[in-house]
Amino acid sequence: MLDCLPAESEAGTDTAALTLHTARPETLAALRATLGAAQAAWLEATGFTARLGQLALLPGEAGGLAGAVLGLGGDGEPTSPWPFGALPFALPERSLWRLGTGDHDAAAAVLGWGLGAYRYRRFKGTGGGGAESAADQAPPSSDRAPARLLAPAGTESAVAAAAAAWRVRDLINTPPNHLGPAELAEAVRALAAEHPGATCRIVEGAELAEGFPLIATVGAGSARPPCVAILEWQGSADGPLIALCGKGVCFDSGGLDLKPSAAMLRMKKDMGGAAVLIGVADLVMRARLPVRLMLLIGAVENAVSGTAMRPLDVVRSRKGLTVEIGNTDAEGRLVLCDLLTLAGERRPDVVLDCATLTGAARVALGPDLPALFSNDDALAEMLLAAGRKAHDPLWRLPLHSGYDSWMDSAVADVSSVGSKPMAGAITAALFLQRFVPPGVRWAHLDLYAWNDSSRPGRPEGGEAQAMRAIHAAISALAEQHGQPDR
């Protein structure tokens, strides 16, 4: 699926591969004993201590390169992908490697390698007009190509996760003039075409205005019309129905409540929630999980014009509740609430929504921890546990009902923003909860979907944050649904 992760079974590849060993300080002596005398002496002479992330290249007996050793540290987590994330660009360009001996998890190594090999190159060396994705385009000669790792049998799910992350990152990193609502909806259509049995319908125009009035209102100021993409797929006729609702604001100017220019610099990522759920849907269908899947993407641009929504406008939602627009820059929740209403009409077993929704969540938790809200403790714990296991962490914040009255409106059923300058992530989640039918299990993830700077396995730019956690939780839900005592 990715050139940086050829399958180990591919003919003629493993004979040319160099061996990558791993070691911890307590296992280093044992590793040295398995190497040739010259290589063991080289490790000792160069001061290799197997600290986390330390890399040593091993010389061949007749010169050249024979292999490498990666340090995993004394207290590193065996299933963490991050120690392997720097290797694609730390090892010689285009070199081919296979995993050797060591205290590592093969799937984690493959995942970390795949995540670390990503670079967004669509507009590098193409004259600005390239249409290829980063996953498909050969890197330009001015850029360094990554080293490759043979993916052993049994690590196919790790390769799939890396490929899905590349898809998500590509979507988020695409400049907003190249990814508007139509292009985002087309990405959903293209995903459906990849998976047998999946269907995709695009709602737009008069049908959108009638069925998704708040989404139409958010997009009214843009020359690029809004739309809703609806993907449906069945991995099992009687499996649980999982509804995924993604905020797909392809660029957010703030509308008439205009953002400062500095705050717009990353607003191409405001469709990050939609991108993450596209990645989740890809993984669910690729794994053929025994679930019924519905993916709802609200694709829209929040722009400024004479037709843009205004503060204090009142709009009727799909659910029938009237909403007073408290701030045009709080548009993401308006997109989600119409999607949540449609999802609720189908009486799903679980509804999950993802959005780059509030700066308040980032102030509380920083960029690395998506804020999780849920009306069901068991569902919340399932997501948290899945995130811990997948090294894709989440952090739960409360749906504190005491703040619900902060969204009271004198002229409508509800205001879109809270009346107090506090707890913005909580009040946004409470607003969304009003559009979830009673008795439906629901979780809301307020995420950042971006890396501010590069770290091993996490290059600067768009990030598939929470994707692996959500996929793992859906897998657990599917397994739980099939148990006799459910």
Side-chain angles (χ1 to χ4, degrees), residues 61 63 142 149 186 192 213 366 378 422:
E61 292 184 5
S142 60
L149 176 68
E186 189 55 39
M422 297 175 284

Side-chain angles (χ1 to χ4, degrees), residues 187-200:
V188 180
R189 195 195 301 274
L191 175 65
E194 294 176 19
H195 296 281
T199 62
C200 180

Side-chain angles (χ1 to χ4, degrees), residues 32-410:
R32 284 201 301 259
T34 67
L35 301 174
Q39 292 179 345
W42 174 260
L43 285 180
E44 188 167 2
T46 55
F48 184 80
T49 60
R51 70 177 183 273
L52 184 63
Q54 188 179 14
L55 178 66
L57 300 179
L58 298 175
E61 292 184 5
L65 183 62
V69 183
L70 174 68
L72 298 180
D75 54 359
E77 172 60 48
T79 61
S80 172
W82 307 128
F84 299 86
L87 295 182
F89 294 99
L91 292 168
E93 184 175 13
R94 293 189 175 88
S95 56
L96 181 65
W97 296 82
R98 61 170 169 244
L99 293 171
T101 58
D103 182 22
H104 59 258
D105 179 86
V110 167
L111 176 61
W113 193 291
L115 295 176
Y118 176 88
R119 295 294 184 271
Y120 186 74
R121 295 189 173 100
R122 177 174 168 180
F123 297 99
K124 288 278 193 178
T126 64
E132 302 88 354
S133 73
D136 297 329
Q137 180 189 348
S141 58
S142 60
D143 282 1
R144 192 174 183 279
R148 299 168 294 151
L149 176 68
L150 293 172
T155 61
E156 292 80 9
S157 62
V159 177
W166 280 44
R167 180 194 294 267
V168 174
R169 289 168 171 179
D170 273 358
L171 287 169
I172 299 172
N173 286 329
T174 299
N177 61 321
H178 292 270
L179 186 79
E183 290 80 13
L184 182 57
E186 189 55 39
V188 180
R189 195 195 301 274
L191 175 65
E194 294 176 19
H195 296 281
T199 62
C200 180
R201 184 168 75 91
I202 309 298
V203 181
E204 52 194 343
E207 184 183 5
L208 180 82
E210 176 66 25
F212 302 90
L214 283 173
I215 294 176
T217 296
V218 171
S222 175
R224 302 192 290 184
C227 58
V228 169
I230 304 173
L231 180 150
E232 297 188 77
W233 176 84
Q234 282 195 4
S236 169
D238 59 354
L241 176 58
I242 310 296
L244 306 177
C245 302
K247 172 190 171 183
V249 178
C250 297
F251 188 80
D252 181 19
S253 68
L256 294 179
D257 287 313
L258 193 68
K259 292 179 183 290
S261 58
M264 287 193 217
L265 292 178
R266 289 180 180 154
M267 282 301 101
K268 69 178 183 179
K269 80 174 184 68
D270 212 22
M271 38 63 67
V276 165
L277 290 181
I278 288 171
V280 171
D282 184 22
L283 289 175
V284 168
M285 293 187 288
R286 199 166 298 281
R288 302 205 62 82
L289 294 182
V291 301
R292 293 172 293 144
L293 183 68
M294 181 166 64
L295 172 67
L296 306 175
I297 299 299
V300 65
E301 179 176 41
N302 188 21
V304 179
S305 75
T307 58
M309 63 177 170
R310 296 165 287 263
L312 304 185
D313 280 356
V314 174
V315 184
R316 186 172 299 277
S317 66
R318 180 185 179 95
K319 184 174 181 178
L321 293 176
T322 54
V323 179
E324 181 181 18
I325 307 302
N327 186 312
T328 65
D329 196 21
E331 84 298 332
R333 65 200 69 185
L334 304 177
V335 174
L336 285 177
C337 66
D338 273 352
L339 300 180
L340 290 169
T341 299
L342 173 59
E345 292 166 6
R346 296 282 297 273
R347 303 304 301 179
D349 292 83
V350 169
V351 176
L352 294 168
D353 76 70
C354 272
T356 51
L357 205 64
T358 68
R362 305 287 66 80
V363 171
L365 300 177
D368 290 349
L369 290 173
L372 167 66
F373 298 87
S374 182
N375 62 2
D376 185 276
D377 290 343
L379 175 62
E381 183 49 45
M382 186 174 289
L383 283 159
L384 292 170
R388 289 190 293 266
K389 186 174 182 180
H391 295 273
D392 197 12
L394 315 171
W395 198 268
R396 191 179 185 187
L397 293 181
L399 280 167
H400 179 54
S401 61
Y403 299 158
D404 202 58
S405 63
W406 293 5
M407 289 172 296
D408 288 347
S409 166

